[in-house]
Amino acid sequence: SCNNWLRTQAVGQSVTVGDLDITGNQITIEANFNCSSFPISRPDKQEDIVSKHANTTDANYVLRMDLAAVTTTTGHYLLFPSCDNLVINKTFHVALVYDGVNLKSYRNGFLMGQMPCTGNLITNKWQTTIGDYAVNNPVGTNFLGYINEVRIWNVARTQAQLQTYMDASIPSPTTQAGLLGYYTFDNLLNKQGNPAYNGTLNGGATINNTNPNC
């Protein structure tokens, strides 16, 4: 749908969904986004889509428009896509996948980069945050624009699986193996079914917005 998107426009505007840690050595984080403005105070395009980290020592997962990162028992792994072709006012699908061997970054179903990555994911007590940095200490990586179809898995989704549902909702989310958190912003419910990870709006963020470039 084009009219059920989260809109965040300033530092502190976000949705928090609880302490949703992923353990072990497999994870997929994916989302759709439409960025309305790149950061004006920095040369990069690093805006947090999904954050569960404070720094490089505790990144359970970090998904930005142009970055995928995790911290495991063997170190911190930071992956930038090989091609920086992001533009504003266009909807993209982006995904972070770690399969125990490699950390991968996908955009619109295409593999944009990968790097060797091993070890079990480091967990933390931060609230999983959609649209801003997980720590209440703003660093200017808040997202500016529209976010939807946020999915948090404890399995490594294949490229074919990402492509199948990158522009459609996940069917029967309560029965999807490995799906722990699933958010479409017609409301703040965890569509996966576990109410412990329902969302909370923060800082004036709004839901049920129309994405003008859906």
Side-chain angles (χ1 to χ4, degrees):
S1 174
C2 292
N3 59 5
N4 65 338
W5 291 64
L6 169 69
R7 187 168 188 251
T8 57
Q9 290 293 294
V11 170
Q13 293 188 358
S14 67
V15 169
T16 48
V17 301
D19 184 9
L20 207 174
D21 279 316
I22 303 296
T23 60
N25 66 350
Q26 293 196 12
I27 186 173
T28 301
I29 309 294
E30 55 179 318
N32 290 339
F33 72 89
N34 171 15
C35 180
S36 57
S37 177
F38 294 142
I40 59 175
S41 59
R42 305 187 319 275
D44 60 66
K45 298 175 182 176
Q46 294 182 26
E47 296 183 7
D48 285 304
I49 297 174
V50 185
S51 165
K52 195 177 198 300
H53 80 298
N55 51 56
T56 59
T57 66
D58 71 352
N60 192 229
Y61 45 87
V62 186
L63 179 64
R64 292 176 176 169
M65 296 189 298
D66 60 349
L67 178 152
V70 295
T71 302
T72 76
T73 50
T74 63
H76 181 65
Y77 298 88
L78 185 67
L79 177 62
F80 292 94
S82 57
C83 179
D84 179 13
N85 59 349
L86 288 168
V87 296
I88 61 173
N89 301 320
K90 181 177 181 179
T91 297
F92 294 90
H93 174 271
V94 66
L96 170 163
V97 178
Y98 170 47
D99 60 8
V101 178
N102 291 294
L103 176 64
K104 302 176 183 180
S105 173
Y106 291 89
R107 190 182 301 147
N108 290 348
F110 292 96
L111 180 64
M112 301 296 287
Q114 65 178 347
M115 65 188 302
C117 181
T118 58
N120 289 326
L121 293 159
I122 296 295
T123 61
N124 60 53
K125 294 302 181 183
W126 302 113
Q127 295 277 305
T128 294
T129 302
I130 301 168
D132 205 351
Y133 182 40
V135 181
N136 188 22
N137 180 25
V139 294
T141 57
N142 55 293
F143 185 79
L144 304 170
Y146 302 86
I147 298 174
N148 208 3
E149 291 289 342
V150 176
R151 303 144 186 186
I152 300 172
W153 309 77
N154 66 1
V155 294
R157 300 278 282 176
T158 66
Q159 184 174 25
Q161 288 172 324
L162 294 174
Q163 291 173 340
T164 299
Y165 295 111
M166 67 183 186
D167 57 1
S169 291
I170 296 285
S172 305
T174 59
T175 65
Q176 292 285 338
L179 183 63
L180 300 186
Y182 180 34
Y183 306 94
T184 60
F185 292 105
D186 50 328
N187 55 46
L188 295 169
L189 299 178
N190 176 12
K191 304 299 194 299
Q192 179 272 341
N194 185 348
Y197 301 125
N198 287 346
T200 300
L201 274 174
N202 304 292
T206 56
I207 59 174
N208 285 305
N209 291 283
T210 298
N211 177 358
N213 304 102
C214 183

